[in-house]
């Protein structure tokens, strides 16, 4: 009977010293209690010898990986191989190599076998893999072997075949096989039938479903409708959109007694009209009479202008602790007037934010008190002050801030220092930001890319570039005193862009 196991694939565990051997049984000697394996593998590595013999005393555990027919019925390797029903008298030895354990007939299928016909007979012959191929698949199939073996063996038994014994106890007909219940997948019957895609698609009435969806949407729109009968309410809303009833949006919330020659609009569509220089001057005077002094206005203008300049310089992408070796450089061109004092205030805030500021201011015997106080504060920042154009950088800077022009003193354009500073700004090839530029029929001496207006914009020419508006803190009732109906267009910001109408 020992010859029944020849050709089977087994795994022999010989303890931690000798390790684990796997191979095909070539001979079993019951007299000397030995077993030989051909083409052996030791701990997953193919052995150099063609055959290895083991004694029962060295074997700690023996596992059968694949059972083949007896040598009289087994064909050659890589030849035809079909399902087999074995009735072995010896299955697995004890650790001590003693008596053998009997087992009942077990149906063992091959890998990737097709469905069996009634009676357990395969309709066509199949071909088994060579030992090398089986060994390559062994590692992948080791986990699922027991599950597939139990499910396949239960489905391949004949109608009159008895359930194998387990631990010497018979399972009655009223008891279910625990292995099949635990490891069986129950998919053999389902796989017999192909899924009918066309038939199931025909059961789906798309026209009726879409008609039901359209009708439900119409009912929903009608329930939510609050406007006129002909108004169509959108069926979808944004997460930040108000769906409750609201008053119609009024985009012209600022009206002036004398409409200027130009109107602007914000990003949200609010109309911001321009005002003349005379009305702007009256507005600042009314604000100063109520406590908004020149010093406070200079400080507010400097903060807003510096915030805009920092954004133009790159903001958080440029001004970081890891980028201290590339500090931005700003050239500040100021004249001896209020607009120049606003530029000096902006330069002080920029210097406080680690920007290298070079301030140009010509020497005068007598200067405004506002300029003197701003210069004293600027000197504490470590910024550079020059009075000659030759001391300005010859290489391009990151930004030029122009505060040379005045609203009232147009004769400054004829001064040599003014012309020299304007020529330097135009030749430096750096972008220019103008703070509070004047309204003038003449062309701008320095072409600006951006212009920042205060409170309400003046009707600026195209040479002023893109216009921005900053909030300098003038209350609403002060606007009303000069005849301006005002509603703040700034929202959550202090500097907003304006678009020409």
């Amino acid at each position: 009977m020992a010859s029944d196991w020849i050709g089977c694939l087994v795994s022999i565990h010989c303890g931690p010293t000798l390790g684990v051997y796997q191979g095909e049984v070539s001979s079993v000697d019951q007299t000397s209690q030995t077993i030989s394996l051909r083409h052996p593998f030791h701990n997953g590595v193919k052995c150099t010898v063609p055959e290895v013999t083991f004694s029962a005393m060295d074997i700690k555990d023996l596992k059968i990986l694949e059972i083949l027919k007896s040598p009289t019925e087994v064909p050659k390797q890589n030849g035809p191989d079909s399902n087999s029903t074995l009735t072995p008298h010896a299955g697995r030895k004890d650790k001590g190599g003693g008596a053998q354990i009997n087992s009942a007939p077990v149906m063992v299928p091959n890998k990737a076998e097709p469905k069996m016909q009634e009676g357990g007979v395969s309709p066509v012959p199949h071909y088994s893999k060579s030992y090398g191929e089986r060994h390559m698949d062994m590692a992948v199939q080791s986990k699922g072997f027991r599950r597939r073996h139990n499910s396949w063996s239960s489905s391949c038994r004949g109608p009159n075949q008895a359930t194998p014994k387990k631990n010497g106890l018979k399972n009655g007909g009223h008891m279910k096989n625990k292995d099949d219940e635990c490891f069986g997948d129950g998919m053999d019957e389902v796989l017999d039938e192909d899924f009918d895609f066309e038939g199931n698609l025909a059961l789906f009435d798309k026209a009726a479903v879409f008609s039901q969806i359209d009708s439900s949407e119409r009912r929903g729109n009608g329930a939510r409708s609050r406007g006129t009968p002909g108004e169509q309410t959108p069926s979808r809303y944004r997460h930040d959109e108000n769906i409750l009833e609201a008053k119609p949006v009024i985009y012209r919330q600022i009206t002036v007694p004398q409409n200027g020659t130009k109107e602007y609009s914000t990003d949200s569509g609010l109309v911001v009209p321009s005002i003349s220089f005379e009305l702007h001057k009256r507005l600042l005077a009314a604000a100063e009479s109520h406590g908004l002094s020149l010093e406070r206005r200079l400080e507010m203008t400097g903060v807003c202008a510096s915030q805009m300049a920092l954004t133009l310089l790159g903001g958080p992408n440029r001004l970081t602790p890891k980028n201290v070796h590339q500090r931005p450089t700003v050239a500040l061109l100021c004249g001896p007037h209020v607009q120049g004092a606003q530029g000096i205030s902006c330069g002080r805030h920029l210097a406080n934010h680690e920007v290298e500021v070079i301030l140009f201011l010509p020497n005068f015997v007598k200067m405004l008190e506002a300029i003197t106080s701003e210069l004293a504060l600027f000197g504490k920042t470590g910024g550079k002050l020059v009075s000659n154009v030759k001391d300005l950088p010859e290489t391009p800077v990151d930004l030029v801030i122009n505060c040379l022009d005045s609203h009232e003193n147009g004769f400054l354009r004829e001064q040599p220092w003014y012309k020299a500073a304007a020529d330097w700004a135009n030749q430096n090839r750096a972008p220019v930001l103008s703070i509070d530029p004047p309204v003038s029929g003449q062309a701008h001496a320095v072409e600006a890319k951006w212009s920042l207006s205060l409170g309400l914009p003046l009707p600026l020419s195209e040479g002023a570039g893109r216009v921005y508006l900053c909030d300098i803190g003038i209350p609403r009732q002060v606007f009303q005193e000069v005849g301006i109906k005002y509603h703040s267009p700034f929202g959550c910001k202090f500097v907003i862009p304006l678009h020409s109408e």
Side-chain angles (χ1 to χ4, degrees):
M1 291 304 197
S3 60
D4 293 342
W5 301 104
I6 296 176
C8 297
L9 299 181
V10 296
S11 175
I12 299 176
H13 180 51
C14 300
T17 303
L18 297 179
V20 180
Y21 286 83
Q22 295 174 343
E24 181 180 351
V25 178
S26 60
S27 65
V28 178
D29 192 347
Q30 296 181 349
T31 305
S32 60
Q33 292 290 297
T34 60
I35 183 173
S36 299
L37 302 182
R38 68 165 64 99
H39 309 302
F41 282 76
H42 179 221
N43 294 333
V45 180
K46 189 174 182 180
C47 299
T48 57
V49 295
E51 189 174 88
V52 180
T53 303
F54 302 90
S55 175
M57 298 177 61
D58 299 330
I59 299 176
K60 303 299 182 183
D61 192 10
L62 187 147
K63 296 180 181 179
I64 300 176
L65 303 179
E66 186 173 350
I67 303 175
L68 299 180
K69 285 189 176 183
S70 60
T72 58
E73 300 179 7
V74 175
K76 296 180 181 179
Q77 291 186 0
N78 298 329
D81 187 14
S82 60
N83 296 329
S84 59
T85 304
L86 299 181
T87 312
H89 295 279
R92 171 178 171 182
K93 294 187 176 183
D94 293 336
K95 293 184 178 180
Q100 300 168 348
I101 301 174
N102 295 333
S103 61
V106 180
M107 178 69 72
V108 182
N110 293 321
K111 298 181 289 291
E113 64 173 343
K115 180 171 179 63
M116 302 293 293
Q117 290 183 350
E118 185 178 358
V121 181
S122 178
V124 294
H126 302 279
Y127 299 89
S128 63
K129 296 182 178 180
S130 64
Y131 173 71
E133 295 174 344
R134 291 195 299 269
H135 179 76
M136 295 299 292
D137 298 337
M138 193 179 301
V140 181
Q141 299 177 355
S142 59
K143 286 188 176 180
F145 176 78
R146 183 179 180 185
R147 179 178 181 272
R148 294 195 301 270
H149 172 73
N150 292 330
S151 60
W152 285 336
S153 61
S154 62
S155 62
C156 294
R157 294 192 195 101
N160 299 325
Q161 187 174 356
T163 304
K165 295 180 181 180
K166 184 176 182 182
N167 296 331
L169 299 176
K170 293 184 178 181
N171 295 328
H174 64 281
M175 297 180 63
K176 294 183 179 180
N177 189 305
K178 294 184 178 180
D179 287 345
D180 293 342
E181 183 180 354
C182 180
F183 300 103
D185 49 14
M187 296 296 295
D188 295 333
E189 293 78 6
V190 179
L191 296 177
D192 292 343
E193 300 179 0
D194 294 335
F195 183 76
D196 187 4
F197 289 95
E198 295 182 358
N200 282 271
L201 185 60
L203 298 176
F204 177 66
D205 191 356
K206 293 186 289 184
V209 172
F210 284 114
S211 176
Q212 182 180 2
I213 294 175
D214 295 339
S215 60
S216 62
E217 288 185 353
R218 285 194 296 269
R219 288 196 301 270
N221 293 340
R224 288 193 298 265
S225 180
R226 295 291 189 275
T228 59
E231 183 181 359
Q232 293 184 358
T233 305
S235 59
R236 293 186 178 91
Y237 297 91
R238 299 194 313 270
H239 67 282
D240 58 346
E241 185 176 358
N242 185 13
I243 64 174
L244 301 178
E245 291 186 7
K247 297 180 180 180
V249 180
I250 300 176
Y251 292 101
R252 188 176 293 274
Q253 300 179 1
I254 302 176
T255 57
V256 295
Q258 297 177 355
N259 292 330
T261 58
K262 205 168 190 179
E263 286 188 343
Y264 301 90
S265 62
T266 64
D267 290 338
S268 58
L270 297 178
V271 178
V272 180
S274 63
I275 58 176
S276 61
F277 171 70
E278 289 76 14
L279 183 58
H280 193 271
K281 186 177 180 180
R282 287 171 49 200
L283 177 63
L284 296 181
E288 189 171 352
S289 64
H290 288 283
L292 188 61
S293 61
L294 175 61
E295 291 78 10
R296 299 178 67 177
R297 194 170 76 238
L298 292 178
E299 188 69 18
M300 196 66 186
T301 304
V303 170
C304 293
S306 62
Q307 286 182 349
M308 181 177 176
L310 290 173
T311 304
L312 297 176
L313 291 173
N317 297 325
R318 180 77 180 274
L319 302 170
T320 60
K322 298 181 180 180
N323 203 22
V324 293
H325 61 288
Q326 293 181 343
R327 293 176 55 188
T329 304
V330 174
L332 198 59
L333 308 180
C334 298
H337 37 64
V338 176
Q339 283 71 31
Q342 294 173 353
I344 300 174
S345 175
C346 174
R348 170 167 54 89
H349 289 288
L350 290 177
N352 291 337
H353 287 266
E354 303 299 328
V355 177
E356 185 177 353
V357 179
I358 303 174
L359 172 61
F360 168 77
L361 182 66
N363 288 325
F364 283 89
V365 178
K366 186 177 180 180
M367 292 188 181
L368 296 177
E369 182 180 355
I371 294 181
T372 304
S373 59
E374 289 295 337
L375 278 178
L377 290 175
F378 178 79
K380 302 298 181 180
T381 62
K384 184 178 179 181
L385 175 63
V386 298
S387 59
N388 196 332
V389 178
K390 296 180 181 181
D391 297 330
L392 292 174
E394 296 180 359
T395 58
V397 295
D398 294 283
L399 181 66
V400 174
I401 299 180
N402 178 26
C403 299
L404 295 173
D405 295 303
S406 173
H407 291 286
E408 297 177 346
N409 298 329
F411 66 90
L412 294 177
R413 289 172 172 259
E414 305 299 330
Q415 300 295 324
W417 59 266
Y418 183 97
K419 295 180 179 180
D423 293 340
W424 177 90
N426 292 327
Q427 295 175 4
N428 190 262
R429 296 178 298 176
V432 179
L433 168 63
S434 293
I435 300 178
D436 195 14
V439 180
S440 177
Q442 300 177 1
H444 290 270
V446 180
E447 292 294 331
K449 189 174 183 179
W450 308 281
S451 293
L452 182 63
S453 296
L454 312 181
L456 284 177
L458 300 176
L460 303 177
S461 60
E462 296 297 333
R466 187 173 183 181
V467 180
Y468 284 76
L469 185 67
C470 72
D471 183 10
I472 56 176
I474 301 177
R476 180 185 300 181
Q477 293 184 1
V478 176
F479 284 96
Q480 294 178 357
E481 288 185 7
V482 295
I484 299 176
K485 181 182 178 182
Y486 180 81
H487 189 278
S488 176
F490 293 97
C492 61
K493 300 179 181 180
F494 282 87
V495 180
I496 58 174
L498 297 180
H499 310 279
S500 299
E501 291 291 339

